[in-house]
């Protein structure tokens, strides 16, 4: 059976075809209509679909009253309370008339189905093998509890399940006392629940999993669903999630939900291939409702917190280098499938003359006024704002900022210290120049050597070093901290600011910056940063 999912979009419906053994992922932000889509797909396929809601109770009670296997499976699929449960009673029975918001409370049915299947399997084997049995012995059948136990223990190797005819317990591998199933952690119960739901589902079902990541540690997410897809190759899987890492790690069809209208219709796009971005970045871009800001820097909390606080209308995507920022902005602006989203970029201010800045601006890329974003924290207006958070008034705060500035100048009070900075700068310039060397026209060894020699001889290290040395010394002599921080990058300077401004270690200082920006508990800090960062509009 092929599951042909047709999702209304207001124009041409999105069509997703799933064969048994295949799966698809829909990624979207909170409020984007993910659960409504899960409900829509479930209703579209009637009894051929089984949905596990994101709103689910994980109260595990192995002491639940035992009922017949048919009753338990019927309750699990349709809910109970009706004489003959069927597809018409699923919404009022299983979902209490609120298919998108009702708390799914079916763990008892799951336990009853597993215990009943185990009992029936054991009883059949007993009758076939007891003395005087008329029937011939049947092939040994593995119960669903056995399969669940095997998968659960592979995912959680430090725990062992003990399953009897009417109870379940967990034995830790470190020799600690066993504990009952009701005492399992949220993660242990969630994994047990997901495995059990998939194992007891009817044959050839479309299984719809809303928020598969709920309570499951990221390190075993993919392993869990690899196991379940393998054991239920007769079923197709639809995952609806906001977990980008999970979506990126699965090699399946991927779609991004951008918006929802109760009509119903959704804004949904397939994650395109060959866009010049990784799957994770592409998914993030397509799922964003805001313009994209590519920034040079690491995906650290400090960098991201500064950019996100000061550009709240943008989705910030860090890239590892200036080259990657330029590539990302140019690629996105040229890519037809992404042009509905505005994008811009910001790069570190490392040795760009005005012509360079003008060229980058034409591409939609602005340049920081300092060599790297952490240096913004060292500038007088920002450091004074930080000092004020410690109770210093206007003049006293300015004095603390000046004290920090003088300490920074002192870190370059000898020619040897300046030379170290210049050497690192020259390395970056040489690396940048070598990356631009084009040897594609060389057809033989002699031509290759000549092209390489010609390109590299233009790298005048003495000239580069002399110019930078002069610039640094002039800034020091003029006591121009802003100009110095255009040229000077030193991770230790943030530690200096931490000690002088807040009497803290670097890690604590950075954590305070992150908290202050995230929670807006120090408005002058954000305001001072905003005045220094490039002005970028969404137009």
């Amino acid at each position: 059976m092929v599951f042909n999912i047709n999702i209304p979009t207001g124009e041409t419906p999105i069509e997703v075809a799933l064969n048994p053994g295949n799966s698809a992922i829909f990624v979207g932000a909170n409020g984007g209509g993910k659960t409504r889509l899960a409900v829509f797909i479930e209703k579209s396929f009637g009894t051929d679909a089984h949905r596990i809601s994101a709103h689910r109770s994980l109260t595990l009670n192995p002491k639940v009253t035992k009922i017949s296997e048919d009753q338990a499976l019927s309750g699990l699929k349709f809910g109970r309370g009706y004489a003959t449960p069927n597809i018409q009673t699923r919404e009022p029975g299983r979902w209490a008339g609120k298919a998108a918001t009702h708390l799914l409370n079916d763990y008892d049915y799951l336990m009853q189905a597993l215990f009943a299947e185990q009992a029936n399997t054991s009883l059949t084997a007993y009758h076939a093998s007891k003395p005087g049995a008329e029937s011939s012995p049947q092939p040994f059948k593995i119960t669903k509890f056995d399969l669940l136990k095997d998968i659960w223990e592979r995912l959680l190797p430090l725990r062992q399940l003990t399953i009897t005819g009417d109870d379940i317990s967990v034995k830790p591998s470190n020799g600690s006392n066993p504990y009952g199933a009701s005492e399992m952690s949220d993660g242990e119960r969630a994994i047990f629940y997901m495995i059990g739901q998939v194992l007891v589902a009817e044959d050839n079902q479309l299984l719809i999993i809303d928020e598969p990541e709920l309570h499951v540690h990221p390190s075993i997410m993919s392993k869990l669903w690899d196991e379940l897809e393998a054991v239920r190759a007769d079923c197709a899987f639809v995952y609806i999630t906001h977990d980008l890492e999970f979506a990126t790690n699965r090699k399946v069809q991927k779609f991004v939900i951008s918006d929802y209208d109760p009509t119903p219709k959704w804004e949904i796009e397939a994650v395109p291939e060959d866009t010049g971005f990784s799957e994770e970045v592409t998914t993030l871009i397509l799922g964003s409702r805001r313009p994209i800001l590519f920034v040079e820097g690491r995906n650290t909390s400090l960098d991201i917190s500064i950019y996100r606080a000061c550009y709240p209308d943008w989705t910030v995507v860090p890239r590892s280098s200036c080259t990657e920022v330029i590539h990302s902005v140019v690629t996105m602006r040229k890519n037809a499938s992404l042009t509905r989203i505005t994008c811009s970029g910001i790069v570190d201010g490392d040795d760009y003359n005005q012509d360079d800045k003008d060229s980058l601006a034409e591409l939609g890329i602005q340049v920081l006024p300092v060599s790297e974003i952490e240096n913004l924290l060292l500038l007088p207006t920002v450091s004074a704002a930080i000092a004020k958070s410690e109770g210093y008034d206007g003049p006293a705060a300015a004095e603390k900022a000046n004290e920090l500035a003088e300490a920074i100048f002192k870190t370059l009070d000898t020619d040897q210290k300046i030379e170290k900075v210049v050497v690192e700068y020259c390395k970056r310039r040489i690396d940048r120049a070598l990356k631009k060397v084009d040897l594609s026209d060389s057809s033989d060894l002699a031509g290759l050597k000549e092209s390489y020699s010609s390109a590299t001889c233009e790298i005048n290290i003495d000239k580069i070093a002399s110019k930078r040395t002069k610039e640094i010394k002039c800034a020091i002599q003029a006591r121009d901290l802003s100009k110095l921080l255009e040229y000077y990058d030193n991770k230790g300077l943030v530690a200096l600011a931490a000690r002088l401004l807040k009497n803290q270690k670097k890690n604590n200082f950075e954590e305070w910056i992150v908290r202050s920006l995230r929670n807006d508990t120090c408005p002058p800090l954000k305001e001072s940063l905003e005045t220094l960062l490039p002005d970028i509009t969404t137009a």
Side-chain angles (χ1 to χ4, degrees):
M1 175 179 182
V2 179
F3 296 97
N4 291 302
I5 305 171
N6 289 282
I7 304 169
T9 65
E11 298 177 357
T12 304
I14 290 285
E15 297 183 359
V16 183
L18 287 177
N19 291 305
N22 293 148
S23 57
I25 293 178
F26 293 85
V27 185
N30 289 332
K34 298 194 307 299
T35 296
R36 304 287 175 176
L37 178 61
V39 172
F40 174 83
I41 296 173
E42 179 191 36
K43 289 182 176 179
S44 298
F45 289 93
T47 58
D48 291 326
H50 183 64
R51 175 168 65 97
I52 302 173
S53 171
H55 306 288
R56 49 186 179 259
S57 170
L58 293 179
T59 302
L60 193 164
N61 176 23
K63 302 293 187 180
V64 65
T65 302
K66 308 305 185 284
I67 61 177
S68 75
E69 187 175 0
D70 286 344
Q71 284 180 301
L73 291 174
S74 178
L76 192 64
K77 192 169 184 67
F78 302 113
R80 277 205 319 193
Y82 295 87
T84 55
N86 53 45
I87 192 61
Q88 283 74 36
T89 66
R90 181 167 66 183
E91 183 154 348
R94 180 170 169 79
W95 302 114
K98 300 176 181 178
T101 59
H102 179 64
L103 179 68
L104 180 59
N105 190 358
D106 61 352
Y107 220 139
D108 282 357
Y109 288 133
L110 175 61
M111 298 304 299
Q112 289 167 327
L114 289 167
F115 275 119
E117 192 264 352
Q118 176 177 256
N120 287 337
T121 302
S122 300
L123 191 60
T124 299
Y126 167 74
H127 284 306
S129 59
K130 69 180 181 180
E134 296 181 0
S135 60
S136 58
Q138 299 295 309
F140 178 76
K141 180 182 177 183
I142 297 176
T143 68
K144 289 171 182 174
F145 253 146
D146 287 330
L147 287 172
L148 188 154
K149 172 180 166 67
D150 288 344
I151 296 171
W152 194 88
E153 290 178 355
R154 281 198 294 272
L155 295 169
L156 301 169
L158 301 182
R159 297 288 185 270
Q160 184 177 12
L161 279 178
T162 300
I163 301 172
T164 65
D166 57 6
D167 201 4
I168 302 170
S169 61
V170 181
K171 181 180 179 182
S173 63
N174 62 6
S176 300
N177 291 330
Y179 53 90
S182 60
E183 301 302 316
M184 285 183 182
S185 69
D186 286 345
E188 290 171 338
R189 280 182 281 123
I191 294 169
F192 188 106
Y193 177 83
M194 290 297 193
I195 298 171
Q197 283 274 7
V198 171
L199 290 180
V200 303
E202 292 180 11
D203 294 342
N204 307 308
Q205 289 279 289
L206 178 64
L207 299 177
I208 306 160
I209 320 297
D210 196 354
E211 295 193 23
E213 68 275 10
L214 200 63
H215 299 304
V216 180
H217 195 279
S219 65
I220 60 174
M221 269 286 290
S222 287
K223 295 178 185 176
L224 168 62
W225 295 105
D226 284 343
E227 290 268 9
L228 295 181
E229 287 186 24
V231 79
R232 291 307 307 266
D234 61 307
C235 295
F237 289 72
V238 169
Y239 304 101
I240 297 182
T241 180
H242 57 246
D243 188 327
L244 275 180
E245 183 179 356
F246 173 66
T248 303
N249 287 339
R250 302 203 71 71
K251 303 303 179 185
V252 300
Q253 297 181 69
K254 299 184 180 72
F255 302 84
V256 174
I257 308 169
S258 301
D259 205 356
Y260 166 70
D261 185 307
T263 310
K265 63 181 180 180
W266 287 263
E267 287 186 22
I268 292 183
E269 296 181 65
V271 175
E273 299 179 359
D274 302 322
T275 60
F277 299 102
S278 67
E279 277 191 292
E280 184 168 5
V281 171
T282 303
T283 306
L284 175 62
I285 290 169
L286 288 180
S288 176
R289 302 180 188 181
R290 298 178 293 177
I292 304 297
L293 180 61
F294 294 102
V295 299
E296 183 178 355
R298 299 157 297 161
N299 193 14
T300 65
S301 57
L302 181 60
D303 288 4
I304 295 301
S305 293
I306 291 175
Y307 281 120
R308 285 180 177 166
C310 297
Y311 299 100
D313 297 327
W314 296 75
T315 294
V316 176
V317 179
R319 312 305 276 153
S320 62
S321 67
C322 166
T323 302
E324 285 202 19
V325 171
I326 295 171
H327 171 74
S328 296
V329 173
V330 171
T331 299
M332 185 170 173
R333 290 193 171 196
K334 287 184 177 180
N335 194 298
S337 65
L338 304 176
T339 52
R340 66 180 182 82
I341 303 172
T342 301
C343 80
S344 292
I346 296 178
V347 295
D348 294 346
D350 187 14
D351 195 48
Y352 291 109
N353 59 36
Q354 194 56 49
D355 288 342
D356 294 331
K357 293 177 182 179
D358 291 343
S359 297
L360 288 170
E362 289 179 3
L363 298 175
I365 299 165
Q366 300 296 320
V367 179
L368 284 178
V370 289
S371 64
E372 57 185 5
I373 195 167
E374 292 95 331
N375 279 8
L376 292 176
L377 302 174
L378 312 174
L379 292 172
T381 54
V382 181
S383 55
I386 295 171
K388 287 178 182 177
S389 73
E390 290 293 291
Y392 293 96
D393 60 15
E399 181 57 33
K400 292 295 291 183
N402 185 62
E403 182 183 348
L404 174 60
E406 287 304 314
I408 293 171
F409 288 127
K410 193 173 181 180
T411 63
L412 296 175
D413 58 0
T414 67
D415 288 343
Q416 289 80 6
K417 292 178 181 177
I418 293 173
E419 184 176 343
K420 286 184 178 180
V421 176
V422 172
V423 167
E424 293 304 313
Y425 168 71
C426 289
K427 288 179 182 177
R428 293 195 300 274
R429 284 296 302 274
I430 293 168
D431 181 64
R432 187 186 302 174
L434 290 175
K435 287 178 179 176
K436 294 180 179 179
V437 173
D438 184 4
L439 304 175
S440 58
D441 291 336
S442 302
S443 58
D444 55 37
L445 186 58
L448 177 64
K449 292 166 70 175
E450 182 179 351
S451 297
Y452 177 78
S453 178
S454 175
T456 55
C457 72
E458 295 179 7
I459 304 174
N460 189 328
I461 298 176
D462 289 335
K463 183 178 179 180
I464 296 170
S466 176
K467 180 176 181 293
R468 181 45 51 100
T469 300
K470 182 179 179 180
E471 289 169 337
I472 291 175
K473 287 186 174 181
C474 285
I476 294 172
Q477 185 176 4
R479 282 306 192 252
D480 188 341
L481 183 62
S482 297
K483 183 60 68 175
L484 178 64
L485 293 176
E486 286 185 38
Y487 315 131
Y488 186 23
D489 59 327
N490 178 348
K491 301 299 181 186
L493 297 182
V494 175
L496 195 60
R499 179 170 60 83
L500 293 177
L501 298 178
K502 290 186 71 67
N503 193 30
Q504 291 180 336
K505 293 182 178 180
K506 179 183 176 183
N507 288 345
N508 300 122
F509 178 68
E510 291 183 345
E511 289 171 2
W512 178 83
I513 295 288
V514 170
R515 287 197 307 273
S516 299
L517 292 172
R518 184 179 296 155
N519 303 324
D520 200 20
T521 55
C522 184
L525 171 62
K526 178 183 173 183
E527 292 166 6
S528 60
L529 287 168
E530 286 177 331
T531 61
L532 295 166
L533 285 163
D535 183 24
I536 299 178
T537 63
T538 57

